[in-house]
Amino acid sequence: MFGASMIALAAVQCMSMNLINTGSSSYPTNNFYNYFAYGSNMCSSTMTKLRSLTPVFSSAAVLPQHNLRFNVPGTSFIEPSWASVEPVSDSEIPKNIHGVLYKLTEEDFTRVCNSEGVPFAYTIHRCRVIPYFGNGKTGGADALESNSLKDRSVFAYTLRAARPQWRQMKEDIPPSKSYLNVLIRGALEYQLDEEYVQELRSVIPGRTIGNGIAEFALEAAEQSSKLRGVFN
């Protein structure tokens, strides 16, 4: 999908960051990265089956003061757009993005960057996320409330639309129904807040041939993984 030059640039950008931070303490490491997923990577099968990654740890988390956007252009009528994050400006109503916090090896984080098209489709965005406080219907909301009393935030990296013109779009590019279904699947898997799941369900999909191909690609990867297990 991407040329050798893109992969090389992505690797340089990913490998140049060597901090993992929990709470107020940080220390240098060449081994692990905190990565916050909010799109199709929320689904564990996307990470393990489609991308062949092995997360060290994963947990539901919330990214405060950011909007979920669909402003990274894809392929018209197939997968029209991909999700991104945008910091909330002072004039906007405060919003939060719920997702999954993964702890990844350096190699796996680099592979995430490569597969997502860093630095041309996405750029790496430093942020602080708050792990869910319990699970169920309001784990994210409870985490935000708890964090106001004691800082429980974790330093992490996520991905943001690379081009300024994409970030400045007034309207999102409606994504495919198939892509939305993968997001919802991941949200349900990690028991994200019911209110946030309903927000994802309320996104109106764009016009596509069929429903898109995101679910098909994921299901094909899952079937391939099962077959490898049978014959290994």
Side-chain angles (χ1 to χ4, degrees), residues 90-146:
D90 294 337
S91 61
E92 293 180 290
I93 298 174
K95 288 191 175 182
N96 308 300
I97 299 176
H98 297 244
V100 179
L101 176 64
Y102 289 101
K103 183 177 181 180
L104 301 176
T105 64
E106 189 174 80
E107 179 182 4
D108 276 357
F109 182 64
T110 301
R111 292 174 70 181
V112 167
C113 294
N114 292 344
S115 66
E116 296 290 351
V118 175
F120 298 108
Y122 288 96
T123 188
I124 295 169
H125 179 62
R126 294 172 172 84
C127 60
R128 298 193 72 88
V129 300
I130 306 168
Y132 265 38
F133 192 76
N135 290 302
K137 298 180 178 179
T138 61
D142 293 342
L144 286 166
E145 183 176 354
S146 173

Side-chain angles (χ1 to χ4, degrees), residues 7-223:
I7 292 175
L9 281 169
V12 168
Q13 187 173 6
C14 291
M15 299 289 281
S16 67
M17 300 176 305
N18 61 349
L19 288 178
I20 184 170
N21 182 302
T22 303
S24 58
S25 63
S26 62
Y27 53 92
T29 175
N30 293 319
N31 297 317
F32 302 109
Y33 291 85
N34 291 332
Y35 163 63
F36 179 72
Y38 51 82
S40 62
N41 286 345
M42 289 193 294
C43 184
S44 64
S45 279
T46 301
M47 297 289 279
T48 60
K49 303 299 193 299
L50 185 63
R51 308 205 189 285
S52 299
L53 307 178
T54 308
V56 177
F57 175 80
S58 60
S59 171
V62 58
L63 171 61
Q65 301 296 310
H66 284 72
N67 285 326
L68 180 67
R69 299 288 309 275
F70 295 94
N71 58 358
V72 177
T75 303
S76 299
F77 302 110
I78 299 177
E79 289 295 343
S81 65
W82 310 108
S84 180
V85 302
E86 285 301 321
V88 175
S89 67
D90 294 337
S91 61
E92 293 180 290
I93 298 174
K95 288 191 175 182
N96 308 300
I97 299 176
H98 297 244
V100 179
L101 176 64
Y102 289 101
K103 183 177 181 180
L104 301 176
T105 64
E106 189 174 80
E107 179 182 4
D108 276 357
F109 182 64
T110 301
R111 292 174 70 181
V112 167
C113 294
N114 292 344
S115 66
E116 296 290 351
V118 175
F120 298 108
Y122 288 96
T123 188
I124 295 169
H125 179 62
R126 294 172 172 84
C127 60
R128 298 193 72 88
V129 300
I130 306 168
Y132 265 38
F133 192 76
N135 290 302
K137 298 180 178 179
T138 61
D142 293 342
L144 286 166
E145 183 176 354
S146 173
N147 196 67
S148 65
L149 302 176
K150 181 181 180 180
D151 187 8
R152 299 177 59 250
S153 64
V154 175
F155 179 82
Y157 297 106
T158 192
L159 301 179
R160 183 184 181 190
R163 299 185 183 181
Q165 60 266 38
W166 296 347
R167 299 177 184 180
Q168 296 164 8
M169 285 182 179
K170 298 296 184 182
E171 301 290 337
D172 283 354
I173 305 169
S176 75
K177 178 63 175 175
S178 182
Y179 181 61
L180 287 170
N181 285 344
V182 176
L183 268 65
I184 293 167
R185 173 178 165 179
L188 292 173
E189 177 182 357
Y190 279 91
Q191 295 183 281
L192 301 190
D193 285 6
E194 286 186 349
E195 183 177 353
Y196 189 75
V197 175
Q198 290 306 314
E199 287 183 25
L200 293 178
R201 293 188 191 277
S202 69
V203 176
I204 299 174
R207 295 177 59 188
T208 57
I209 298 171
N211 289 325
I213 62 172
E215 284 180 296
F216 173 78
L218 182 56
E219 290 167 2
E222 290 173 328
Q223 289 299 318

